[in-house]
Amino acid sequence: MRTEDVLAAIATGLWRWDDASGTVTLDAEAARLLGLPAEPGEYSEAAVRSRFHPVDWNEVNGIVALAAAEGTLAEARLRIVDGAGRVLRTVRSRSKPVLDGAHYRLIGTIQEVTEPRPSATAAQTSITGDWRRSREAFLLDAGRALAEARSTAEVLRVAASLSMPGFSPDGLAVFGVRGDRLTIIGHHGHGEGDDEPFSDLPLDTDYPASEVVRTGRAIYLPTPDDYRRRFPVTWPLARRFGRRSWAFLPLIVAGRTIGAWMAAFRHPVAFTPDERSVLTTVARMLAQALARAGAAESERELSLGLQRTMMPTLGPGIPGMTVAARYVPTGGGLQVGGDWYDMIPLPSGRVALVIGDVQGHDVRAAGLMGQLRIALRAYASEGHRPDAVLSRASRFLHGVTDAHETGDHAGPRFATCLYLEVEPSTGLVEIARAGHPEPAVITSDGTVLLRATEGGLPLGIDPDTDYPTTRFVLEAGVTLMICTDGLLETGGHDLDTGWARLRAVLEGNAGRPLEDLADTLVQAVHGPTSHYTTGPLADRREDDIAVLLLTREAEPARRPTRRTAMSVAQAQPERIAAARQQVRELLHDWSDEEQIDSAVLMVSEMVTNVLVHTDGNALLAAEVAHGEKGRRLRVEVTDPSDELPHKRRPGEMASSGRGLVLMEVLADVWGVDPRGEGKSIWFELYEPAAGEGPDGPDGAPVA
């Protein structure tokens, strides 16, 4: 008897569906079941498709794709309709997909199945519809949760919490591949140590996960007998867990199998096409999530490695001085940036402190920062003075970035930098500045002053830029602070408002240990130190931060003297405003507001006269000292001209000539002292101690 006759006797037909040619070949029984003439023939794909109920046809492509991926049979239940759309019968199709490039061929059978009673059909349709809606909702939630997971541990926690509709597994394991070994990345639903036999298996082991990794095809084991029959070697290891069904699915990313996922059940699971479809979709999402998490963790590891390599460090301590520093990288991406600080012991016995900021917040900026740090160390160690160190560093950076920049930062990059040398025994400080924020000083009585310093262009812009040097003495008990603009401008602040915020922090924490003060400064901008590089605050970081504090440790005087100094060049008349501000800050706690205004006015006149009536620069020096009967402000302005000023009687409408008249009226004492080259004009104001009369601090009557 022919096979076709046997199949016809049991109402089973044969078909061959060729997706590439768009034709379907049917035997006589298959044609009859589809409502076509009961004879063998070749039909178009459209003619055959019109015989299937539209709802059922929409499921066919997914079932075929799943079976092709898993190497299993494609099984589907299909309703056959006539030309008017009435259901004639229901058939079950079982076929083997054969892939041919982008197309497939289905070779299989069609068999009529008994229709359930109408009431049962309605109930089944309702149940099926509810299950499909639950499945879609589950997959949406699972996809969202896995997409948000940022680490492998988070991905595994999400996978363990998945509650699949109608068949949730109670045991999960995710396997990875290391060389030719199978490893366990994580598991759920097992006791401590249960994973040990499976944690390091050769890939050729007779174990379902190993075979899945080798072949890239899923394995479904609906019963313990199936497991024992297919994998007798490892069945004794799996039997002790008391599971009834297992699914092992490949984790595939970009066509490469990166591992396997096991879902184990204590109840029997038939692994219907719908259930396999859910498991396959979850495995695909799980693979993508693990790949993203792995890439993110590799990026973080690279970031940490770069941080460890490039993290600013302080060398051995400076005799008689205390140093503290903090570095906080920007948020997002790699946790490295272009800010840095450094401490360099010099052959002369001095110590150099450097702080800088390379343009950008990417790996390129971090690389340039590393190169610039090395160059600065080399130039400093050769014994060059601060101005020469910055000039050479500017030429170096200009040459490095001039011809090799592409992408988002095409063209040369620049860097701001502040370089200072300090003499530990005397406290002498020499500073050269390249476009960087000016330093601040905190006196021993808590007064905070911006220390005006000369400066030039940022490094790398003009290779021939000069960098003038500013010199001053760091008094006993005084703290010097240098920082990058990230400490000032984070949080929507500009340099002025950011400095006002830091001034309040510094004044409120005067006298605290330097390490505590460094933490307090950063916390004022970003919150607790435990969140500097991770956690919810990481995304708030707008710029890198570097801050360095230096204190001279000698015992300060019981009533310390405050001092400030700055120069105003002929080409810098705008610095007159900075000079006025310096004096106002020096007198922040002076009791008489009118005396403060008088001092500011006289300083403005003195400095302006130098710029107008001489060809040289003005050097301003001011100090507040304590005497037995109160405090004294002394301000001196020095210039290189030998011509002594003389008092004039300006008319009512005159625009000049009032400088000495003002000093005679406003100052307690004033004078002009010739120098070897140039002269110095000075004035003093006295603030009596509480309960004292108007005598000056040395007992002399006030003029």
Side-chain angles (χ1 to χ4, degrees), residues 1 82 88 114 157 170 174 201 261 271 279 318 320 326 331 366 381 384 387 442 445 460 509 562 605 680:
M1 180 179 292
D82 60 14
L88 299 177
T114 304
R157 282 196 296 271
D170 65 280
V174 176
L201 292 174
W261 174 48
F271 297 119
L279 290 168
I318 305 175
R326 294 292 182 271
S381 299
H384 299 293
D387 55 341
I442 306 97
D445 65 355
N509 292 272
R562 301 178 197 159
E605 284 288 335
S680 170

Side-chain angles (χ1 to χ4, degrees), residues 324-326 513-523 532 547 549:
R326 294 292 182 271
L514 220 55
E515 292 291 337
D516 293 345
L517 181 59
D519 282 335
T520 302
L521 285 170
V522 178
Q523 289 173 22
Y532 283 176
V547 58
L549 301 167

Side-chain angles (χ1 to χ4, degrees), residues 240-258:
R240 61 193 178 95
F241 295 107
R243 304 281 167 41
R244 303 293 302 278
S245 299
W246 299 261
F248 292 83
L249 297 103
L251 300 174
I252 300 175
V253 177
R256 183 173 64 90
T257 302
I258 64 171

